[in-house]
Structures are given as structure tokens and as C-alpha cells.
Amino acid sequence: MAFWYPLKELGAQAGFLLPLLLLAIFWNSRAIKKEKDISILISSHFILICSIPVFLRGLYFVYELLPNRLLADLLMYLDGLRLGFLWSYGAIFCGIGGGLLVIFIAQRTLFNPARVRKIRLRKNQCRECGEKLHRTDQAWCEACGAQQCGSCTNCGENYRLSALHCEWCGSKPTTPAA
């Protein structure tokens, strides 16, 4: 009975926490598909806030499964060597590593070059600095001076360099785009 209690407790708490986390992930995926920037930002923060108790509860479950004597012996051994502070540094490094992992995942998913390129093309922004362009056929950015239009190698018409295909003939441009 004592063995199953932590598992039952984890199941009951997960029954409350996981639906919130799944709701946040669902909201975030819909916001990404619809490209609603504010919704993406709010839902990603909601995911972070919901995942903290899930992560901590998972750590506590692992702690409950470990024999208490093992951790006490480990801490006494480190204190005997006057290295008890290593436990705290390990926790600090794990926290920093987890935060960097979250930032890395956010950069790979939210701010990848293909997504930024698509958003800037849709919003008629400069392909380099993101400044709003006055016209879709504007050749140069007024803010940073980056070239915005080039000549298609297939039909000779002007196309936006951030576009994946020429709007006149549909061919892929051979000019490198940002």
C-alpha cells in the first residue's frame, strides 16, 4: 500500500495539471497555425507556467522513489569532504540549463528564419530589418537600405526577394533570398 501511494498521488495531481498543459499546447499550436503573434506569446507563457508544477511534481515523484538514506548518505559524504555546496551548484546549473533549453526551443520554433521570412512577406516588411514598406514593389528599404526586389531569371519581371516564387511566372528565383 505504501508503495502505490506516491503513484496514486502523482496520478491525481497529473489529472489536474496535465489538462491545463494540454490546453495551453493546443492553444499555442492553433495560434502558430493562424500566425497570431500576441496569442503565440501568451500561450507560450501559459505553457511555461503550466509546465513548472508538472516538472516539479515529476522531480518530487523521483525523490519519493529514491531511498531517503541514499540522499542523506550522499549529502553527508559531500559534507565530510567539505563539498556540500556542490549540491546547490548542481541545482543552479540544472535550472540555468533548463532555462537555456526553453530559450533554445523557443528560438527554433518561433523565430526560425523561414517563419520570420513568411511573416515579413505577408506584412509587407523589409526582408532585413522588418521595417514596414510603403509599397509591395518598393525596390529598397528606406530604413536600412536593403534591396527588396530583383529581376526574375525566367520571365524578367520584378519580384520580391523574400518571396519563394515569382508572382508572375511561378518559378523559383535563382537569386539568394534572406
Side-chain angles (χ1 to χ4, degrees):
M1 186 74 166
F3 175 76
W4 291 106
Y5 180 74
L7 189 60
K8 288 180 182 179
E9 186 181 18
L10 177 68
Q13 290 176 353
F16 174 73
L17 294 172
L18 287 181
L20 289 175
L21 184 61
L22 293 175
L23 176 69
I25 291 170
F26 175 74
W27 178 20
N28 187 267
S29 66
R30 288 193 43 100
I32 289 173
K33 284 180 186 173
K34 293 185 178 188
E35 297 177 359
K36 294 184 175 182
D37 297 332
I38 299 296
S39 237
I40 292 171
L41 181 68
I42 293 170
S43 61
S44 61
H45 280 82
F46 191 50
I47 289 172
L48 179 68
I49 296 301
C50 289
S51 64
I52 289 172
V54 171
F55 176 73
L56 290 177
R57 184 59 189 114
L59 284 179
Y60 185 70
F61 179 71
V62 170
Y63 172 75
E64 285 178 341
L65 289 180
L66 291 176
N68 289 337
R69 190 73 195 149
L70 175 70
L71 291 177
D73 288 344
L74 177 65
L75 287 175
M76 286 178 54
Y77 178 72
L78 289 175
D79 282 338
L81 296 174
R82 299 196 188 276
L83 297 174
F85 63 91
L86 289 179
W87 186 261
S88 300
Y89 281 124
I92 291 169
F93 286 132
C94 286
I96 291 171
L100 290 175
L101 179 66
V102 168
I103 291 170
F104 175 74
I105 291 170
Q107 286 178 340
R108 299 283 292 178
T109 57
L110 298 177
F111 304 111
N112 65 12
R115 186 172 184 278
V116 170
R117 175 183 185 181
K118 185 178 175 183
I119 290 171
R120 286 184 178 173
L121 182 66
R122 182 175 41 95
K123 291 183 175 181
N124 195 30
Q125 295 174 335
C126 172
R127 67 188 189 106
E128 293 293 325
C129 69
E131 187 68 30
K132 179 80 171 150
L133 300 175
H134 297 290
R135 300 181 320 272
T136 56
D137 61 345
Q138 188 171 331
W140 300 91
C141 176
E142 295 170 337
C144 70
Q147 184 178 3
Q148 301 300 312
C149 292
S151 181
C152 178
T153 55
N154 192 30
C155 68
E157 293 288 333
N158 282 343
Y159 73 96
R160 299 225 3 229
L161 292 175
S162 56
L164 296 173
H165 301 281
C166 174
E167 69 177 298
W168 302 103
C169 68
S171 67
K172 284 192 170 193
T174 56
T175 314

